[in-house]
Amino acid sequence: MNAVPQSPFGFAPQRTPANAQLNLNVRSLAPSATLAVNEHSARLQQAGKQVYRLGLGQSPFPVPDVVVQALRDNAHQKDYLPVKGLPALREAVAGYHQRVNAVAGGGEDVLIGPGSKELMFILQLVYYGDLLVPAPSWVSYTPQASIIGRQVHWITTQRDHGWRLQPAELDALCRGDPTRPRLLILNYPSNPLGVSYDDDQLAALAAVAQRYGVIVLSDEIYGELYHQGQHRSIARHYPEGTIISSGLSKWAGAGGWRLGTFLFPPALRWLQEAMAVVASETFTTTSAPIQYAVVRAYQGGPEIGAYLHHSRRILRALGGAVVEQLAAAGIQVAEPEGGFYLFPDFTAQKDSLAERGIHTSPQLCEGLLRERGVATLPGSDFGRPADELSFRLADVDFDGSEALKAAAHQGRIDRAFLNKYCGRVMAASAAIADWAT
Ligand code: GLU
């Protein structure tokens, strides 16, 4: 299969004499789109340009104080820890999943890694099966499969279904070869859509996965940022075949700490063991001070509860306000239900954009950045056709620390609050609306 070209924007490396000796699976890939747009935006800012940074999906919020304090207290931890993770952390993660998701499991079912991204790569390496991903999905799942040499099947989703994967779509893909080994990555709340699945939808998808023995990697890294605060896991409907992927990056503002977690059912212990072998030969173990500190994050409590409550309130109000601004300009966009992404679509503006020489989503994102200083990512990086004028916007360019402090003393989060504390996102979405019309 051909790798999806990575941004910014739609750039793919040339084959040159110098890279001719590279592994064929890597030679056609460029650096990951999310990280490339972040570094590109930083360079533009250093050169004195005004850039609204809606490209990288980095949490705007600080790491909760109690967790930062735990890291200070553990700065002296210096020993290599067990490959699968610090036992106390594995227990805390399992306890968290029991408490929050009502998913059973003990510390022995948990694997800790330096980011869930690394764990996903190792899973794809050890599991011999095709990768199934709904389109659109996050930018790195399929390049990981391509690096390893796995078959990738993008499953096209429909706007009428809110872009959610339908049981019939999964069934249609599996029916022709029912016993083929397959791994489905299901991410909800979704990056890039912001939408999630309700319990009935999860149960129906679980039934199909179960019928064909499809392993589900349930990427729930945005689960705590489900705006209503009642995230559900597909693992409750398909416990024996679901691995829950999560980590600290999104809900605790700790992307740079690099800590990811997998929770396995006992039936998939063989995969966990195989992953631990690869971990022992590659990353060895995850940073010791970080693991000790993160035990505190997974223990929860009132400070972390309040932090999450206010984070969700801000993200919900901001997502709603951006949708209002874009919709008022005739731009199609689904109301986000969780996380900090929106996935607008300029199909209705296709003709006027074509007159300006814009026919693809990479051209659209180039235009937005060049003419309005708004950095976003094209839908093509998420598996959508390049001529669909969709793009992802991460509504994160604001000072989350100030916003959280203010939200704690604020009744309803209204426009005045958003203009004051999330002004750059509001200005950027106004600029997008104006540019497109
Ligand atoms: N998940 C984040 C995003 O989609 C950034 C982290 C990454 O891609 O490694 O923007």
Side-chain angles (χ1 to χ4, degrees):
M1 60 108 351
N2 289 327
V4 176
Q6 301 289 287
S7 293
F9 288 105
F11 165 82
Q14 302 292 314
R15 186 169 302 181
T16 66
N19 73 13
Q21 290 167 41
L22 277 176
N23 179 329
L24 284 176
N25 294 348
V26 177
R27 192 155 64 184
S28 60
L29 295 176
S32 182
T34 51
L35 305 167
V37 75
N38 192 41
E39 293 177 19
H40 186 54
S41 304
R43 277 193 299 275
L44 291 175
Q45 280 183 326
Q46 277 154 16
K49 300 235 160 49
Q50 150 93 305
V51 181
Y52 296 107
R53 295 178 72 163
L54 313 189
L56 178 70
Q58 164 159 272
S59 166
F61 301 114
V63 179
D65 289 344
V66 287
V67 184
V68 172
Q69 186 56 47
L71 182 57
R72 278 196 198 99
D73 296 344
N74 283 288
H76 63 283
Q77 301 288 357
K78 60 174 245 331
D79 289 346
Y80 290 99
L81 294 178
V83 173
K84 289 179 190 158
L86 177 72
L89 178 58
R90 296 174 71 201
E91 286 296 332
V93 170
Y96 162 88
H97 282 295
Q98 278 178 28
R99 199 171 66 240
V100 174
N101 304 133
V103 173
E108 69 281 6
D109 301 313
V110 173
L111 184 62
I112 305 294
S116 56
K117 191 174 186 174
E118 183 66 24
L119 293 177
M120 286 170 191
F121 181 75
I122 295 180
L123 175 65
Q124 294 207 57
L125 183 78
V126 302
Y127 182 67
Y128 181 78
D130 295 356
L131 177 68
L132 316 185
V133 273
S137 280
W138 179 50
V139 301
S140 288
Y141 303 134
T142 63
Q144 289 191 347
S146 303
I147 290 169
I148 296 164
R150 297 277 175 259
Q151 283 280 343
V152 173
H153 296 278
W154 284 101
I155 312 177
T156 306
T157 58
Q158 307 299 327
R159 177 191 303 284
D160 288 353
H161 299 137
W163 308 110
R164 290 178 190 84
L165 177 64
Q166 300 300 297
E169 292 162 349
L170 181 60
D171 191 275
L173 201 146
C174 298
R175 203 181 308 141
D177 189 352
T179 55
R180 195 176 173 90
R182 296 181 174 97
L183 175 70
L184 168 69
I185 305 188
L186 196 67
N187 167 227
Y188 53 100
S190 148
N191 174 5
L193 293 162
V195 302
S196 200
Y197 292 81
D198 68 26
D199 222 27
D200 292 343
Q201 291 164 337
L202 291 174
L205 282 171
V208 179
Q210 199 163 34
R211 185 176 316 140
Y212 295 107
V214 175
I215 293 178
V216 177
L217 179 63
S218 184
D219 182 355
E220 302 181 30
I221 194 125
Y222 300 95
E224 283 287 10
L225 298 181
Y226 185 60
H227 296 161
Q228 306 281 1
Q230 301 137 358
H231 169 77
R232 300 298 180 99
S233 175
I234 194 170
R236 294 174 63 190
H237 304 288
Y238 182 31
E240 73 280 15
T242 303
I243 302 167
I244 301 182
S245 173
S246 192
L248 214 64
S249 303
K250 310 302 178 185
W251 70 265
W257 286 27
R258 308 310 303 133
L259 187 123
T261 67
F262 269 18
L263 178 72
F264 293 81
L268 298 181
R269 180 68 52 83
W270 54 279
L271 271 177
Q272 184 189 8
E273 294 300 333
M275 286 181 65
V277 171
V278 177
S280 76
E281 299 289 13
T282 53
F283 68 78
T284 304
T285 177
T286 305
S287 159
I290 297 289
Q291 290 201 63
Y292 278 97
V294 168
V295 173
R296 180 66 195 85
Y298 281 101
Q299 283 167 344
E303 304 88 347
I304 291 180
Y307 167 93
L308 282 172
H309 173 69
H310 295 301
S311 302
R312 291 182 196 121
R313 288 177 67 219
I314 295 166
L315 292 175
R316 183 180 177 189
L318 183 58
V322 172
V323 166
E324 257 178 47
Q325 271 183 322
L326 298 183
I331 298 164
Q332 290 181 309
V333 56
E335 181 97 24
E337 296 170 322
F340 34 64
Y341 302 112
L342 293 97
F343 198 66
D345 180 337
F346 284 169
T347 301
Q349 289 74 27
K350 205 176 170 80
D351 293 343
S352 61
L353 287 172
E355 281 166 23
R356 289 151 68 182
I358 292 171
H359 307 279
T360 66
S361 59
Q363 289 169 347
L364 184 154
C365 291
E366 273 161 21
L368 264 177
L369 184 58
R370 193 180 50 248
E371 293 173 26
R372 296 299 169 98
V374 183
T376 57
L377 282 175
S380 57
D381 281 338
F382 299 84
R384 301 300 300 179
D387 62 356
E388 174 187 278
L389 297 175
S390 57
F391 64 104
R392 187 191 80 173
L393 165 173
D395 57 0
V396 296
D397 189 356
F398 64 94
D399 181 339
S401 204
E402 289 299 314
L404 271 184
K405 271 188 236 149
H409 306 288
Q410 171 88 14
R412 200 172 72 81
I413 305 232
D414 53 15
R415 272 299 172 100
F417 180 99
L418 295 173
N419 287 335
K420 179 160 178 197
Y421 293 102
C422 310
R424 292 182 60 74
V425 173
M426 297 300 288
S429 81
I432 294 170
D434 185 59
W435 182 81
T437 50

